[in-house]
Amino acid sequence: MTTVYDFSPAALAGTPVDLSAFRGKVLLIVNTASECGFTPQYKGLEEMYRQYRQRGLEVLGFPCNQFGRQEPGTADEIGAFCEKNFGVTFPLFAKIEVNGDGADPLYKFLKKAAPGLAGTESIKWNFTKFLVKKDGTVYKRYAPQTAPKDLAADIEKLLAE
């Protein structure tokens, strides 16, 4: 696997989504949770999506229950929560694992392509973000505490390429 376009994770509804459908777009891929201290970042992610979507940004949310069991809901509950509380319209995917033996193949790829501090490949917490270039290669990883608005300069740069 050489780009994110080689993967087909399941949508929140359970059907596979061929990420090659996003070819030529800048992608912001985020592992999310509904009961996390960083959950209000959904608002900022949605704002970024609305601001840059017409120029080629897609935000992809991947719910994960591995950190403090902060995403206990079903797919329907997650979707309803995100829509009701944050007006989320960007694509959400089925709940996944991002670390360990059960880690989703997409996340194995992302972590290897953009290791964290000190070269670690594990995800530290919810709302770790990966920015992906239009060619499907990983540009950069961002920490959970990095606010979505703080990615604007990098997003602008990649949209202009």
Side-chain angles (χ1 to χ4, degrees):
M1 305 289 184
T2 58
T3 73
V4 297
Y5 304 136
D6 296 326
F7 298 92
S8 296
L12 197 59
T15 55
V17 175
D18 185 345
L19 294 186
S20 68
F22 297 105
R23 190 176 305 278
K25 306 258 185 191
V26 173
L27 304 179
L28 179 57
I29 300 175
V30 187
N31 63 302
T32 62
S34 299
E35 297 178 5
C36 176
F38 295 121
T39 299
Q41 285 190 25
Y42 268 126
K43 181 177 188 241
L45 292 167
E46 180 64 22
E47 288 170 356
M48 298 300 285
Y49 182 60
R50 290 180 187 203
Q51 180 178 352
Y52 293 109
R53 183 171 187 215
Q54 295 301 319
R55 292 180 50 203
L57 175 71
E58 290 288 339
V59 177
L60 309 179
F62 288 85
C64 178
N65 196 36
Q66 283 189 291
F67 305 103
R69 303 221 177 273
Q70 295 178 343
E71 188 57 274
T74 65
D76 287 342
E77 290 168 339
I78 293 166
F81 172 85
C82 290
E83 185 178 338
K84 176 184 174 193
N85 294 291
F86 300 102
V88 168
T89 60
F90 59 82
L92 292 171
F93 289 78
K95 195 175 349 182
I96 62 164
E97 290 186 10
V98 297
N99 289 329
D101 293 340
D104 186 88
L106 172 62
Y107 266 81
K108 289 180 182 178
F109 171 80
L110 293 169
K111 295 184 302 181
K112 185 173 178 92
L117 293 176
T120 180
E121 289 188 13
S122 66
I123 301 291
K124 290 184 181 173
W125 204 255
N126 303 309
F127 291 89
T128 296
K129 300 158 199 72
F130 291 90
L131 194 57
V132 176
K133 299 189 315 188
K134 293 176 185 179
D135 67 1
T137 60
V138 180
Y139 174 71
K140 192 172 179 182
R141 178 198 284 217
Y142 303 86
Q145 62 269 27
T146 303
K149 66 181 169 93
D150 294 337
L151 280 61
D154 286 344
I155 290 170
E156 289 276 359
K157 175 185 173 190
L158 295 184
L159 288 172
E161 289 182 351

